[in-house]
């Protein structure tokens, strides 16, 4: 079902955001660690606490022009402006859905494009952020990976999506959750994703508890172990999409190299390491993975695990042969799992009137 397009607006704001900065040699401030910023400030003969003030302006007060940072000495503001840019991307397209979902198509300095989304649900203000331009995982139903991966995003480019979405909130709205569920495979760009998230969770950064941050992965066991080793209790969501090896290898090609059991084992180790309940994602594709038999197999796989199964009815991608399942088969699928004691949630499709499923906005524009 498509949501009615009531107040969707498309704003091509390239001009006002100015892409003149493409030849700009200044460094991306958001790529620096706090230590690097402090060192730069020390080199300029000033005390380290100035770094905290700058971060406070950018992350809490949403200021992106050094000249507006009124508690910094004028000379420092000028020097910062000469050395750094705070935003390096441009909002190529802004789409607002009638259900409170905002989606941005962000253009990177090298011309690449990624999507990110703000979702409003009750008091929740969640943002969905991309980690790569394109994706190498090749999930057969997903728009993001149709042309493969171009490159990893930098730490600063990941943070900038968060800041751009935060900037869309009203005074009385607060960012509450972050999901790394945009374009790309976050665990294939783990170092930069972790660097960005460490700022997102920092009190001087966005101040979002890691318990409200979810990293979604196709399931790369070694990287899941590395994530566990950080000791930070991020939520892990594993995109399962099939209840057996054969079907999973068909839908999620990387499974052929990895194997479903080793994905499940790594997820179990992650749970053992920090006790955070795992989420498994299951995109329900009509006539492909939505039968009663599939539901039974899935129930067998999950019933002894402390997991939330997040079932997402397929959001159709033009040109791909997959379909949203009928409401009858969705209900049947649900019944089997619920009767089998699996903790299951059926995700509401949000923002489908604005192509909010990852990769679709970019794709539809480039056609
Ligand atoms: N690479 C990560 C993040 C991908 S996007 C991962 O695989 O988890 C987050 C989720 O959306 C994944 O579960 C992905 O498989 C799913 N998804 C991709 N395309 C979709 C579509 N058209 N409809 C519904 N879900 C989709």
């Amino acid at each position: 079902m498509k949501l009615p397009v009531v107040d969707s607006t498309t704003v091509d704001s390239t001009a006002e955001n100015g892409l003149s900065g493409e030849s700009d040699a200044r460094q991306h401030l958001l790529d620096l660690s706090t230590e690097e910023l402090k060192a730069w400030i020390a080199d300029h003969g000033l005390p380290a606490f100035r770094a905290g003030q700058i971060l406070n302006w950018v992350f809490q007060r949403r200021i992106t022009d050094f000249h507006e940072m009124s508690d910094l000495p004028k000379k420092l503001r000028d020097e910062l402006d000469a050395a750094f840019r705070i935003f390096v991307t441009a909002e190529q397209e802004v789409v607002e859905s009638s259900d409170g979902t905002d989606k941005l198509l962000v253009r990177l300095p090298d011309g690449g494009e990624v999507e990110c989304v703000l979702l409003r649900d009750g008091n929740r203000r969640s943002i969905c952020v991309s980690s790569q331009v394109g994706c190498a995982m090749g999930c057969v139903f997903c728009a993001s990976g149709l042309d493969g991966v171009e490159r990893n995003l930098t730490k600063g480019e990941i943070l900038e999506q968060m800041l751009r979405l935060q900037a869309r909130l009203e005074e009385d709205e607060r960012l509450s959750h972050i999901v790394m569920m945009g374009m790309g495979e976050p665990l294939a760009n783990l170092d930069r994703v972790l660097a960005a998230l460490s700022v997102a969770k920092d009190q001087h950064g966005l101040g979002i508890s890691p318990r409200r941050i979810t990293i979604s992965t196709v399931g790369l066991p070694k990287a899941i172990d590395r994530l566990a080793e950080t000791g930070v209790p991020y939520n892990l969501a594993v995109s399962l999409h099939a209840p057996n090896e054969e079907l999973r290898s068909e839908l999620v090609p990387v499974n052929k190299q990895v194997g479903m059991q080793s994905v499940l084992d790594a997820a179990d180790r992650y749970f053992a390491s920090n006790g955070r309940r795992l989420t498994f994602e299951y995109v329900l594709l009509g006539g492909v993975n939505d039968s009663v038999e599939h539901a039974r197999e899935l129930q067998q796989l999950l019933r002894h695990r402390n997991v939330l199964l997040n079932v997402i009815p397929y959001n159709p991608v033009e040109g791909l042969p997959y379909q949203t399942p009928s409401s009858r088969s969705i209900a049947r699928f649900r019944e089997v799992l619920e009767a089998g004691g699996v903790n299951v949630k059926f995700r509401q499709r949000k923002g489908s009137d604005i192509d909010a499923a990852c990769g679709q906005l970019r794709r539809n524009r480039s056609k």
Side-chain angles (χ1 to χ4, degrees):
M1 187 192 74
K2 279 251 170 194
L3 294 171
V5 187
V6 180
D7 61 355
S8 286
T9 51
T10 299
V11 187
D12 201 328
S13 51
T14 312
E16 82 198 41
N17 277 292
L19 280 171
S20 56
E22 278 169 37
S23 58
D24 195 323
R26 292 177 298 168
Q27 217 186 332
H28 194 187
L29 181 82
L30 301 174
D31 272 333
L32 262 63
S33 67
T34 307
E35 289 64 40
E36 287 166 335
L37 182 57
K38 281 181 180 163
W40 186 91
I41 286 169
D43 282 347
H44 287 72
L46 289 164
F49 76 88
R50 296 292 183 197
Q53 284 179 307
I54 296 166
L55 295 180
N56 184 48
W57 279 111
V58 175
F59 287 97
Q60 315 276 324
R61 299 167 79 168
R62 308 176 190 178
I63 292 298
T64 55
D65 179 350
F66 290 113
H67 297 295
E68 288 179 42
M69 301 183 179
S70 53
D71 55 3
L72 300 181
K74 168 91 171 61
K75 182 161 169 284
L76 176 61
R77 282 187 256 167
D78 291 342
E79 286 169 344
L80 283 164
D81 191 55
F84 300 109
R85 295 163 76 195
I86 301 178
F87 275 5
V88 300
T89 73
E91 294 181 10
Q92 183 75 13
E93 194 167 331
V94 180
V95 193
E96 296 174 346
S97 160
S98 48
D99 65 5
T101 304
D102 295 359
K103 183 159 190 165
L104 305 183
L105 183 69
V106 170
R107 184 168 160 188
L108 306 166
D110 64 359
E113 290 176 336
V114 292
E115 299 175 18
C116 57
V117 188
L118 165 67
L119 299 117
R120 296 179 168 89
D121 186 11
N123 287 331
R124 268 187 187 229
R125 296 293 175 269
S126 308
I127 56 172
C128 177
V129 176
S130 291
S131 56
Q132 298 182 308
V133 186
C135 184
M137 299 300 118
C139 301
V140 293
F141 50 83
C142 176
S144 296
L146 288 175
D147 300 320
V149 67
E150 267 175 51
R151 68 168 172 91
N152 287 335
L153 295 185
T154 63
K155 170 196 169 195
E157 288 165 341
I158 297 170
L159 280 173
E160 192 165 321
Q161 295 170 66
M162 298 179 189
L163 286 173
R164 286 194 176 278
L165 292 165
Q166 175 177 253
R168 305 190 63 75
L169 297 176
E170 303 291 336
E171 269 301 300
D172 59 347
E173 292 180 303
R174 277 195 66 79
L175 198 60
S176 62
H177 294 75
I178 299 176
V179 295
M180 294 303 303
M181 282 190 190
M183 291 171 58
E185 168 50 45
L187 294 196
N189 186 16
L190 186 58
D191 289 336
R192 285 155 165 197
V193 166
L194 286 177
L197 290 180
S198 83
V199 179
K201 72 180 173 62
D202 193 293
Q203 278 317 311
H204 298 293
L206 292 173
I208 311 282
S209 158
R211 292 182 165 75
R212 292 172 171 228
I213 297 177
T214 299
I215 302 177
S216 180
T217 178
V218 72
L220 304 177
K222 283 193 195 125
I224 292 175
D225 287 338
R226 275 193 55 212
L227 187 60
E229 280 159 23
T230 64
V232 184
Y234 295 117
N235 300 304
L236 182 70
V238 176
S239 293
L240 199 58
H241 305 327
N244 60 58
E245 202 73 76
E246 200 190 342
L247 185 56
R248 190 167 198 267
S249 290
E250 235 175 77
L251 301 177
V252 182
V254 71
N255 191 63
K256 286 180 221 143
Q257 283 105 62
V258 180
M260 195 169 83
Q261 193 55 49
S262 74
V263 174
L264 293 170
D265 290 345
D268 289 342
R269 287 194 296 276
Y270 190 81
F271 175 69
S273 78
N274 65 16
R276 298 298 295 158
R277 185 177 67 174
L278 297 167
T279 298
F280 283 96
E281 288 160 283
Y282 194 100
V283 171
L284 211 54
L285 305 162
V288 175
N289 64 357
D290 64 339
S291 72
V292 167
E293 193 43 48
H294 293 131
R296 289 207 185 104
E297 254 185 292
L298 191 58
Q299 185 263 342
Q300 291 293 317
L301 211 58
L302 301 183
R303 70 189 162 140
H304 295 307
R305 291 187 157 91
N306 185 358
V307 302
L308 171 69
L309 176 67
N310 199 355
V311 182
I312 315 156
Y314 185 56
N315 203 342
V317 175
E318 212 185 308
L320 294 183
Y322 302 98
Q323 277 154 19
T324 309
S326 67
S327 41
R328 213 177 122 249
S329 80
I330 297 178
R332 243 180 11 197
F333 199 83
R334 176 179 210 143
E335 267 161 38
V336 174
L337 287 155
E338 281 179 348
V342 175
N343 188 5
V344 58
K345 195 174 100 191
F346 279 68
R347 197 197 285 174
Q348 291 270 333
R349 291 237 314 272
K350 282 209 155 249
S352 58
D353 58 331
I354 56 166
D355 295 328
C358 46
Q360 298 198 39
L361 188 61
R362 180 179 80 137
R363 188 140 195 97
N364 288 346
R365 261 186 73 91
S366 64
K367 276 193 307 208

